[in-house]
Amino acid sequence: HSHHGVANSFDAQLKATQRFNNQLKARGLYQTGADAYVFSGANRWNAADTDEAIFHIDNVVEWSTLGRMYAYDSTFDRVPTSGQYTVDDLVGRCTDDPLQADLVRCVDFVLGGFYLFGTQPFFHAVQLWDPLHKDAAALEASVTRWTGFFRAHRTRLLGMGRMLHLRRPTARFLEAVAHVTADPSEPLRAIVGLVNPTSRGIADNITVSLYYAGLAPGNGG
């Protein structure tokens, strides 16, 4: 078979998979899908995780930055809350990374980074953590805080609003997005998500346009 031209094997397999997904959708089955498959019947998009699997990325900062890059780049044409990124055994990841000295801070950073980008972390593990772990209460508080944040704003700002792409993740500088809505009935018109992936404090200026929040220039309301 030929790998060149519009009739190549990749194109044929992609279309075959899309037709299969459409059939599942017609039968009312819930499914997740990566990349272009999300537009052929999937209910939720998710990262393919191919880079992580192929290159065996174990460094938490590098791995989570890759996830935020995916969320950032994938939401120019998708609603942020329609997606998820697999964090698998997050506590195990943070524990096994020799560069992470503070387990709770590591977990909190990963969860916060994804939820601020409007993307849900997807746990795939036997348990989130050992109930008898010395940091169990702090880990539960972190999960409760970020899932509570997501629930509180998912319906309107994170889901129905518009996400502004301000600073793409690089693992070197401040990352930034903003979730805004022009609905005048909403008391909260914008949420700015800032992620510092470095181990140092960062002082920087971020310009956020309030055009999509329906506020006129100079309006501080």
Side-chain angles (χ1 to χ4, degrees):
H1 61 270
S2 173
H3 287 283
H4 304 285
V6 295
N8 67 45
S9 62
F10 173 82
D11 182 69
Q13 292 175 49
L14 177 63
K15 289 179 178 177
T17 303
Q18 290 175 331
R19 289 194 297 270
F20 177 69
N21 289 349
N22 283 327
Q23 293 174 13
L24 295 180
K25 185 69 171 181
R27 287 167 171 75
L29 297 178
Y30 186 94
Q31 56 182 317
T32 61
D35 304 324
Y37 300 120
V38 74
F39 298 112
S40 61
N43 299 77
R44 176 179 290 276
W45 61 265
N46 61 274
D49 295 340
T50 49
D51 288 338
E52 176 190 344
I54 293 173
F55 298 109
H56 303 289
I57 300 175
D58 296 321
N59 180 291
V60 170
V61 172
E62 183 179 358
W63 159 76
S64 61
T65 299
L66 180 67
R68 293 193 304 280
M69 284 180 176
Y70 189 93
Y72 189 95
D73 295 341
S74 297
T75 48
F76 283 97
D77 55 2
R78 307 175 191 174
V79 177
T81 54
S82 66
Q84 65 184 24
Y85 194 83
T86 305
V87 297
D88 292 323
D89 179 6
L90 181 55
V91 171
R93 280 183 178 275
C94 289
T95 301
D96 294 340
D97 187 344
L99 298 179
Q100 301 300 319
D102 188 325
L103 172 61
V104 176
R105 184 175 181 179
C106 175
V107 170
D108 195 70
F109 169 78
V110 173
L111 294 181
F114 284 122
Y115 278 124
L116 286 172
F117 275 59
T119 299
Q120 289 179 279
F122 173 64
F123 290 89
H124 187 202
V126 176
Q127 59 183 6
L128 298 184
W129 56 79
D130 185 344
L132 300 179
H133 194 286
K134 65 181 181 65
D135 293 319
L139 291 169
E140 182 177 359
S142 175
V143 172
T144 300
R145 179 162 70 101
W146 285 115
T147 54
F149 164 83
F150 189 78
R151 289 194 187 101
H153 302 294
R154 175 181 182 178
T155 303
R156 295 180 174 87
L157 273 175
L158 299 183
M160 301 303 293
R162 178 185 293 268
M163 188 170 102
L164 306 183
H165 297 71
L166 305 176
R167 292 278 186 87
R168 188 175 187 269
T170 64
R172 297 188 297 271
F173 308 107
L174 196 65
E175 308 164 5
V177 298
H179 304 273
V180 299
T181 178
D183 185 349
S185 67
E186 287 296 326
L188 186 62
R189 302 288 280 274
I191 292 177
V192 177
L194 303 174
V195 177
N196 177 5
T198 74
S199 58
R200 67 184 189 281
I202 297 178
D204 202 349
N205 294 318
I206 301 290
T207 300
V208 182
S209 172
L210 296 180
Y211 174 84
Y212 292 107
L215 300 176
N219 189 330

